[in-house]
Amino acid sequence: MATLNIKDPRVHVLATELARQRGTTATAVVRDALEKEAARQPKPIDRDRLRALQGKMQEMDLVGLSNDDIYDEDGLPK
């Protein structure tokens, strides 16, 4: 089993205090915080899938919208 040694005293105090408040372990609160932060991160773009979709659009003669299609000469939405 891998271990994680946290050497920052403030992190240790925060994890221990939150664990006490929740009635759980410091490991559980650290895991929960890390899982929540990981879930908030944007998902990476699947560039291969994007290229495939762009290719299909070109084959079907579908053209995406340009800024000129969306915004007027003042830069405001049409």
Side-chain angles (χ1 to χ4, degrees), residues 1-70:
M1 175 168 65
T3 62
L4 176 65
N5 185 5
I6 298 174
K7 296 178 182 179
D8 184 323
R10 180 73 179 135
V11 173
H12 187 274
V13 168
L14 289 168
T16 302
E17 179 58 24
L18 186 55
R20 185 189 64 72
Q21 291 173 7
R22 290 185 178 177
T24 188
T25 65
T27 298
V29 297
V30 170
R31 180 180 50 243
D32 183 52
L34 292 171
E35 287 173 347
K36 285 179 182 175
E37 184 61 25
R40 289 180 27 163
Q41 299 304 306
K43 303 296 183 239
I45 295 171
D46 183 343
R47 296 195 186 279
D48 291 335
R49 184 167 182 250
L50 180 59
R51 276 191 285 277
L53 290 171
Q54 289 171 329
K56 286 181 182 180
M57 286 179 67
Q58 287 176 346
E59 288 172 10
M60 298 171 66
D61 200 26
L62 296 175
V63 180
L65 297 175
S66 71
N67 283 342
D68 292 334
D69 296 323
I70 301 170

